[in-house]
Amino acid sequence: VSSEERALAGGGAGDGGADFVAYEVENKTYEGYYAYPAAHVEGPLPGLVIVHQWYGLGDTEVMRAHEAAERGYYALAIDVYGRGERASDNEEAGALASAAQADEDKLLRVFQGGLEQVVASEFVDTVVATGYCFGGGVLLRLGRLASSGVAAIATFHATFPAELSWLDPSLKLSIHHGSEDFAGDDGLSRLWNSLKGVVDVWESAYYGGASHGFSDPANPAYNELYATQSHDTAYAFFAKHLTVPGWDPQSWLCGPTTVLSICSCSSKKKNGANSRLLAAVVVLACAFVIAAALATYYCACRGSSSSARNEEEEERDLPAAAKGEVQMS
């Protein structure tokens, strides 16, 4: 990676940023997409490597990188195929994925090349990874490495490799699988059996009625509820097992924001203060509404009473004839 590209990829933690970045792996150029938070950071951030589905790096992975940055991660959606190599239909996607999987040792080296871009950042500590479909299958191959370089992985509707083995028992896994996934439950069962008694920490979530691609907004099988639930679960899994000095995942849960805007709750203390201020504003607003309603009611009642008294006084002052009384002579 050139010094210019390294500067682009690293940036500054306090500045925030998101952009495409080129990097080299074994004399081939790849192009990933990085994003990191704009809020001031005192101390390291966790890194996140995102591995794309079989079409290649696209809008969905870019979106996931921004989401990760909003959660306080330095994220890089890596490129497994090569710069400019993207599929436009299923046939092309199948060809690209098959070519990448044909040499699994090289596939893992390409992953490691992307991982190095994250590790090289001056403010990244522990690294985790997420993978979708084809990308999930890439991550499941990390078990063949004695040391993968990542603390934990989360896969979403992954394709299952024919060989599943685990040389690093400390690698932690969060697996998300749909009941209607064409990858089938047999692959999931094989995965379970390979993990039992070998890997120390792993979990799997099974989504009823969900098909392959349920977390991808660009996929017809997209299920917003399951997409949200699976990612919330994965990030909770990461937060539980990450050990990044001074990094508090709860302080980043600010709701929708943008990578380039400062998070409004940069600490638990500030978040608590904001919550109390909001509560006070709500109480005052409610009190104002109630007071206005009571004042309106009082004025209406007073006006009605005054009108009735005026009518009674006017009636007393009228002559008998005007009152409709008949005088007997």
Side-chain angles (χ1 to χ4, degrees), residues 18-98:
D19 206 347
F20 288 94
V21 58
Y23 57 95
E24 301 286 328
V25 179
E26 297 183 354
N27 298 318
K28 183 174 180 178
T29 301
Y30 296 82
E31 186 175 51
Y33 186 88
Y34 74 92
Y36 60 92
H40 177 67
V41 176
E42 295 181 359
L45 290 172
L48 173 66
V49 175
I50 301 168
V51 190
H52 58 72
Q53 35 66 49
W54 70 334
Y55 268 58
L57 176 60
D59 292 342
T60 298
E61 290 74 32
V62 168
M63 175 195 71
R64 295 301 180 197
H66 280 254
E67 286 182 349
E70 291 169 357
R71 290 176 180 263
Y73 288 75
Y74 180 102
L76 177 68
I78 68 170
D79 175 16
V80 174
Y81 295 152
R83 189 175 199 171
E85 297 184 34
R86 305 289 186 267
S88 59
D89 56 38
N90 288 353
E91 183 177 355
E92 291 180 2
L96 286 169
S98 295

Side-chain angles (χ1 to χ4, degrees), residues 243-318:
T243 53
V244 180
W247 180 75
D248 179 9
Q250 294 300 318
S251 69
W252 293 94
L253 300 181
C254 309
T257 182
T258 61
V259 176
L260 299 179
S261 66
I262 295 178
C263 184
S264 63
C265 48
S266 57
S267 67
K268 278 187 176 180
K269 182 177 180 180
K270 187 174 181 180
N271 191 33
N274 287 344
S275 297
R276 289 191 295 272
L277 177 60
L278 178 60
V281 171
V282 170
V283 170
L284 288 173
C286 290
F288 177 79
V289 170
I290 293 172
L294 289 174
T296 302
Y297 176 77
Y298 173 75
C299 291
C301 291
R302 185 176 181 183
S304 176
S305 176
S306 175
S307 176
R309 285 197 303 272
N310 290 339
E311 289 177 0
E312 184 178 338
E313 291 173 356
E314 289 174 359
E315 186 175 358
R316 283 201 305 267
D317 294 337
L318 285 174

Side-chain angles (χ1 to χ4, degrees), residues 195-214:
L195 293 169
K196 291 176 181 177
V198 180
V199 175
D200 296 333
V201 178
W202 61 277
E203 67 178 15
S204 66
Y206 193 79
Y207 300 87
S211 299
H212 190 78
F214 68 81

Side-chain angles (χ1 to χ4, degrees), residues 38 77 94-95 108 110 153 164 176 180 191 198 237 252 288:
L108 290 176
V110 171
I153 64 174
L164 289 165
H176 302 269
E180 306 307 309
L191 175 60
V198 180
F237 182 82
W252 293 94
F288 177 79

